Structure formats: C-alpha cells, structure tokens
Amino acid sequence: MNTDGRFGFILWWILFSCRMNIARSDGSTVEFSYTNYMKFLDIDPKYVDNKYLPQFIKIKLYRKHVAGGRGTQLFLDRPDTWTNFDSDLATHFIVHGFVAGAETSQVTRIRDAYLLSYDNNVITVDWSPFTGTDIESSDQYILAIAFMNDLVAPFLQRYIEYITGPNLNTSPSKIHLVGHSLGAHLMGIVSKKVKVDWVTGLDPAAPGYSKEQTETRLTPQDAAFVEVIHTNIGEFGEEWSCGTVDYYINNGGPVQPHSHPSDKQANHAYSYIVYSNAIEESVIEGIKCPSEEVAMQGKCKESTKARIGDRNATPGIYSVKTTVPW
C-alpha cells in the first residue's frame, strides 16, 4: 500500500471509529459516528433544510435596534423569522471554529462590536454540535473538518442564496463573511460556491491544511476582497498569505501581547480581539511588506499603509504592530 493509501485508510479508520454524543433541542442526545453521518447525507435536502439541521446548526439574526439584544433564529421555510432583516444594509455573517460556539468570545466579540458601531444585519452561525468537545482530540478535529466541508458549508450556502435570491434580493456586494480558525476555511468553502463581496479570515487554521490545498481552505480568489489576520503562525494559524490583504500582527506571532508564550489558544484568539477593536473605530494600521518573510520579521519599510477592516485597502502583505487589550 502506498503512502496515500495508508493515509486514506488511517483517516477512514479514525472517522469511522470516532463517535460524538450530540444534544437535541429536546434535551435528548443522538450518537453521531462517521457511519450514520454518511447515511445522514442521503436524507432529502428539503428535509435537512427545514426539519433537521436547524436543530444543530443555528443561524441567528441580530439588529442594533432589537430590544434585549436577542437574536432571532432564521429558517428558510419561515419568512416571519426574517422580519428584522433589511436587504438595503450590509450583512455580516460570523462563524466560529473548533470546540467553540456562537456564544463564545470569538463570535460575541465581533457580533457586539458590529452592533455597537453600525446598524447592519449581523448573523451568527453556530455549528458547535459538530466541532467537538476536546481541543486536544485529533480525531474530533478531523471529524469536525468532515462535517464542516460536507454538511455545514452547503447548509450555510443555502442561506446566502436565500438572501441574495428573489426572496430578499440582497446584492452580493453587501455580503461579508467573517470566520475564525476553522471558521475562516468554512467561509472560504462557501464563498467558492456563492458570490460574496468580502471574506475576513481570522488566523485561518493550519493543522490539517497545506498551501497547495485550495479547494477546502480560504484563498485570495474566494471573494472580491479577502482579508486575513495572522496571529499564531506555525502553531494553530497558517503562516502563508491567503488573502487580498494579509496582516501579520506583531510578526504574526506566534506569541502575542497579554498572552503566555505557551498559551496557543490565546495567541490564536488575538486575531478576533484585534479585529473587534478595529470594528469599534480603533485605527489599526499595517505597513506594506515585500514578502511574507519580511512581514514575519517585522522589518517592513514601504510607505503604503492599510487599515484593518478597510474593504478598500491596497492589496498586499502588511506588518502590524499593536498591543490592543483584551
């Protein structure tokens, strides 16, 4: 058996043997293994959309003016849930990564920053039942990628098609996708299938990905403008550039201010801390660099600058020095 064959067999064995107990909305649990996951994919798409998946993948709309700040879960077969959606406004989709959810800080910090600063449609995507419970578990991580690629991405794609289609007639130029870690790649997969204007990848996940692999990760071609923030290169985050603009924060890390050198999670998380601060009118600028290597050394001397969160930033690689607090 060649190397690729051995790897494929090992991957199949891990996925086949991995099982997760997922909570249903009624409090009961269902065991998900790769076997019944594959069976699950054979369910009629209409049934998946309207009856089953919304129990596990919750997509909620938030608006600045809605009292209490409570989100409304959106359903494709219930137009009444879209009452607060305004097609004339920008729409920001925000998604988390591995072992996280829509109520963890990688989503709430960005959600709240947008709600405080703008009156736009802010939509959170919670796929936490499929992202595992153990940050150290490689088998849960691999299974999460499988779920993300084959289940979550097509489901989210349908929502964007609903928004930009005849139902709501929102221009693709108003769609902005934001994802942290694995969530960055999720947004890359979706934007390969449906036209959007802007994707922001917050320290796109490195484990399980390579520079040559383009179909299932975030790439510069995925949208009209792809913005990437690097804070934990060589550990949890990709070190190669993968956007229209790539911002290497404090040389790309891997260690960031206010974090212990051994706390990879905190250094990985610093990407969304920086981005949420940038949304809240903090001007965080980078200096253009001739290459990734120079950006990682923090020795960029070009005159061109770009501001994080600026949709019209000049394409390129940038070095950013900042100590924005948590």
Side-chain angles (χ1 to χ4, degrees), residues 259-273:
S259 300
H260 191 278
S262 64
D263 191 347
K264 297 179 183 179
Q265 285 297 320
N267 294 311
H268 193 38
Y270 198 60
S271 57
Y272 65 77
I273 300 301

Side-chain angles (χ1 to χ4, degrees), residues 73-74 127 160 210 285:
Q73 186 171 359
L74 301 172
W127 61 293
I160 297 174
S210 68
E285 287 187 324

Side-chain angles (χ1 to χ4, degrees), residues 17 58 71 141 145 151 157-158 212 234 314 321:
S17 60
K58 295 185 178 180
Y141 182 77
I145 292 176
L151 198 66
Q157 177 185 335
R158 295 183 191 112
E212 294 71 31
T314 301
K321 300 295 184 183

Side-chain angles (χ1 to χ4, degrees), residues 168-185:
L168 295 173
N169 289 308
T170 299
S171 169
S173 66
K174 295 182 180 295
I175 305 296
H176 177 205
L177 310 182
V178 183
H180 177 253
S181 193
L182 273 186
H185 296 310

